[in-house]
Amino acid sequence: MDDTQTMHAMGIDDAYHVEQVLARGPRGVTELVTIDGVGPFVRKKIPTVLAQRGVWSALGGSTCPRLPRVEATYELPDCVAVVLDYIPGPTLEQVVAERGWLQQNEAVSLAQQICEAVQELHRLGILHRDLTPANIIVADDGTHIIDLGIARPLTDTANRNRDTTALGTYGFASPEQYGFAPTDVRSDIFSLGRILGFMLTGVYPDDTRYTPLLSDDLHVTPRLRAIVERATAFEPSARYQNVAQFAQALTSPTDPVDSYVPAYAVQRPVANGKPRPRTVIAVAVACVAVIAIVAAAVLIPRWIADGSDGGAANGTSQHAGSRPDPSTDDDGDAADPGADPSVRDPAGDGAAHGNAEYGNPLELVETGWSADESGYVHYAFGLRNTSDSLCVRSPSIEITGRGEDGTVLFSATQVLMFSFPGETTYFGAQAGNGNGIIPATVDFTVLEPEDYNYETSSESASFKSANLHAASDGYGGEIFSGEISVAKDSARVREQSSQLNVSLVLRDDAGAIIYGFDTYVDWPPEGGSRPFSMDVFDPPAYDSFEVYAQPW
């Protein structure tokens, strides 16, 4: 800013009369102001280094009545000032404190109004990141979202592995807001679910009464409880993938609890209209978990206690690695006698070359992925430990999406818990930024373990799946369900993992991986099984699916 601009901005600033300081902290000051007897307005002064100018610029172009209207913005030498219209009325926090839990029809109505505002924010490319009852005004004309102090542009996710700073309000902020992954629209959906739970129970999510009240059928219907639980799933891929899905579930006459137990399996038609037979493969494997989320479970256990746009949209972009050909080596020559084709890397994604003492026994067997129109990548890979005596702890796979020109669109590292000797593990999940840019390529690379990641051990655990089903969810998606039981138990492994990861892998008619998805269940009881279900929104056309389970 030059001197003239500075003087002009200071003149505007002085024209406002501060009626009351509403809040003050390291992220700025919020004031109630008037100008020439007109107002009041809300003025936020945000330190220049923290100001997200793109957020306020985008918000200024919105006509949504449930969002604050930007009256003016100007820059001072050390801060950015934003003047907003003032919405009179109590906060949702105050309403619930005064009245207690809300009637379910009122809670649903208010939640729908909040969804209108959040959906508009996402349309504008804004992620709120601090949706709480204290930031929602219940005015005469309905709810209004306020305080976009830590909002950021959705396009700001490029090249992020995770958000760099823990932000948000405890109990309503998503797990990824504590540094374990980048935030996206599903982070706001987590907060929406917690707000709905708050309205239905009348207590905060970290209150010991929250879970019992939410679980009480006389207090909260199973349908609404299922909506809250899905929206607040710890893993983002298990939540509603956009606000429209969440809003639709609020008014859907279908009970989502019932929909998780499909009565029939569907056959996906091929292009000529003839049904394609569905091949269902139950696979037993063991050994994958995400260390970052295990760390999260230790750091924020109350989340665990309380508890896409998935799928390739109309085949927008699909890429898959192929299965290994046992008849040839990578160079096209005949395979060596006795060679195990399952340890080859047909896609050329390549394991690292290992360290001097151990070498790297980890190899990618196969990889595959597809992308939806939002730019999210749904991937799966098979990782084999070729050693017969070394267990690898915290094996890591680097997943990188690139544009046509080779530009890195996203990069993420998937850290697993174990890779047991002589075993192959399959894992499926989601990556990418959801910014609408579909990568041209996605590369998978095995990162070289450190010496301390190796352990001489033959200990392992494996699982089997049964009663697998696939059925339409009635909204363009499919529900995959079944049961997981223990094939080989290990008390030592149980001590080090609290749950199981259940991964879904979809394949095309050539047998190549085209999609991955996952969910989490508790360890099955001894001699018993543990049911699971995954609601996959708009999956790509597939020929067969497989389900894998491994310690978490």
Side-chain angles (χ1 to χ4, degrees):
M1 297 177 62
D2 58 31
D3 291 344
T4 301
Q5 291 172 321
T6 300
M7 293 301 294
H8 178 68
M10 293 180 67
I12 296 175
D13 192 65
D14 289 341
Y16 286 97
H17 177 71
V18 179
E19 304 290 342
Q20 181 182 353
V21 176
L22 301 176
R24 186 186 299 274
R27 301 192 67 83
V29 60
T30 302
E31 305 163 324
L32 196 66
V33 299
T34 57
I35 183 169
D36 295 331
V38 178
F41 302 100
V42 174
R43 181 173 66 182
K44 298 183 69 68
K45 288 187 173 181
I46 309 164
T48 303
V49 295
L50 299 177
Q52 292 281 5
R53 295 170 178 82
V55 168
W56 304 109
S57 175
L59 188 63
S62 174
T63 58
C64 178
R66 304 206 181 279
L67 292 175
R69 185 171 66 250
V70 178
E71 302 288 349
T73 61
Y74 54 93
E75 295 201 28
L76 297 170
D78 59 347
C79 69
V80 173
V82 183
V83 181
L84 308 163
D85 63 334
Y86 171 72
I87 307 296
T91 65
L92 180 60
E93 181 180 51
Q94 293 168 332
V95 170
V96 173
E98 179 180 344
R99 296 170 47 191
W101 55 269
L102 305 183
Q103 294 292 331
Q104 295 188 35
N105 59 345
E106 182 180 8
V108 168
S109 177
L110 293 176
Q112 288 178 298
Q113 295 171 17
I114 299 168
C115 283
E116 290 178 29
V118 179
Q119 195 164 6
E120 172 68 0
L121 284 176
H122 293 175
R123 186 190 70 80
L124 295 170
I126 299 172
L127 193 64
H128 193 284
R129 297 199 298 175
D130 198 20
L131 294 168
T132 72
N135 287 338
I136 296 169
I137 298 294
V138 183
D140 292 340
D141 60 348
T143 62
H144 298 256
I145 288 180
I146 60 172
D147 196 353
L148 278 74
I150 65 170
R152 68 165 175 81
L154 277 167
T155 53
D156 193 31
T157 59
N159 300 325
R160 284 174 178 251
N161 285 333
R162 54 185 53 83
D163 284 358
T164 57
T165 307
L167 297 171
T169 301
Y170 183 79
F172 296 93
S174 65
E176 52 269 27
Q177 287 177 248
Y178 285 74
F180 297 102
T183 50
D184 58 28
V185 296
R186 298 168 301 176
S187 305
D188 281 349
I189 289 168
F190 181 98
S191 302
L192 288 172
R194 281 292 172 87
I195 290 170
L196 177 59
F198 171 76
M199 290 190 290
L200 293 171
T201 62
V203 298
Y204 289 92
D206 58 349
D207 191 302
T208 56
R209 296 169 293 169
Y210 178 83
T211 299
L213 286 171
L214 190 64
S215 303
D216 185 351
D217 287 353
L218 298 178
H219 193 77
V220 179
T221 65
R223 185 179 72 85
L224 286 177
R225 180 167 60 251
I227 291 172
V228 172
E229 290 175 345
R230 179 175 176 184
T232 58
F234 190 87
E235 180 65 27
S237 61
R239 301 174 200 157
Y240 298 101
Q241 299 297 288
N242 56 51
V243 179
Q245 290 182 21
F246 178 79
Q248 183 181 40
L250 291 172
T251 57
S252 170
T254 304
D255 189 330
V257 175
D258 295 339
S259 70
Y260 281 104
V261 188
Y264 62 92
V266 298
Q267 288 187 329
R268 181 174 296 280
V270 294
N272 61 12
K274 296 180 180 179
R276 175 186 296 159
R278 172 68 54 80
T279 304
V280 179
I281 307 173
V283 182
V285 259
C287 74
V288 176
V290 182
I291 286 299
I293 306 301
V294 172
V298 174
L299 293 172
I300 40 179
R302 279 184 285 185
W303 281 341
I304 303 298
D306 294 338
S308 327
D309 290 311
N314 301 319
T316 302
S317 175
Q318 296 183 14
H319 299 257
S322 59
R323 283 181 165 176
D325 181 354
S327 64
T328 63
D329 287 333
D330 289 332
D331 59 7
D333 298 331
D336 296 331
D340 183 353
S342 66
V343 302
R344 295 181 47 222
D345 180 12
D349 296 309
H353 295 294
N355 57 42
E357 183 175 356
Y358 297 103
N360 187 351
L362 303 178
E363 294 184 355
L364 285 165
V365 175
E366 57 177 329
T367 64
W369 61 279
S370 60
D372 61 34
E373 62 184 3
S374 297
Y376 287 115
V377 168
H378 305 267
Y379 67 87
F381 59 78
L383 180 70
R384 180 172 175 81
N385 183 345
T386 61
S387 171
D388 58 5
S389 60
L390 291 174
C391 173
V392 180
R393 291 177 174 272
S394 307
S396 302
I397 310 298
E398 186 177 69
I399 304 155
T400 305
R402 297 180 183 272
E404 292 285 355
D405 60 356
T407 302
V408 174
L409 301 179
F410 70 85
S411 181
T413 300
Q414 182 67 61
V415 183
L416 313 180
M417 180 171 279
F418 298 110
S419 180
F420 296 120
E423 297 190 12
T424 300
T425 298
Y426 278 82
F427 181 83
Q430 177 175 290
N433 300 319
N435 56 9
I437 302 176
I438 297 171
T441 62
V442 176
D443 302 321
F444 299 78
T445 303
V446 180
L447 301 182
E448 182 176 342
E450 301 291 341
D451 288 353
Y452 56 76
N453 293 123
Y454 292 95
E455 177 184 280
T456 302
S457 174
S458 59
E459 196 84 12
S460 67
S462 60
F463 308 89
K464 58 185 177 180
S465 55
N467 300 323
L468 298 181
H469 295 278
S472 170
D473 66 0
Y475 301 104
E478 288 193 42
I479 298 171
F480 298 86
S481 60
E483 296 178 286
I484 300 295
S485 59
V486 177
K488 178 184 178 183
D489 208 344
S490 166
R492 184 166 179 257
V493 175
R494 275 183 182 264
E495 289 176 357
Q496 300 176 63
S497 62
S498 59
Q499 291 182 305
L500 302 184
N501 169 274
V502 181
S503 285
L504 169 73
V505 176
L506 302 186
R507 296 183 182 272
D508 62 17
D509 54 7
I513 294 174
I514 57 172
Y515 190 91
F517 197 79
D518 66 341
T519 190
Y520 306 89
V521 299
D522 292 333
W523 273 71
E526 184 176 355
S529 63
R530 186 73 64 184
F532 72 88
S533 65
M534 309 182 204
D535 195 347
V536 178
F537 182 76
D538 195 18
Y542 67 95
D543 183 73
S544 63
F545 74 86
E546 306 164 0
V547 173
Y548 300 81
Q550 43 271 332
W552 175 258

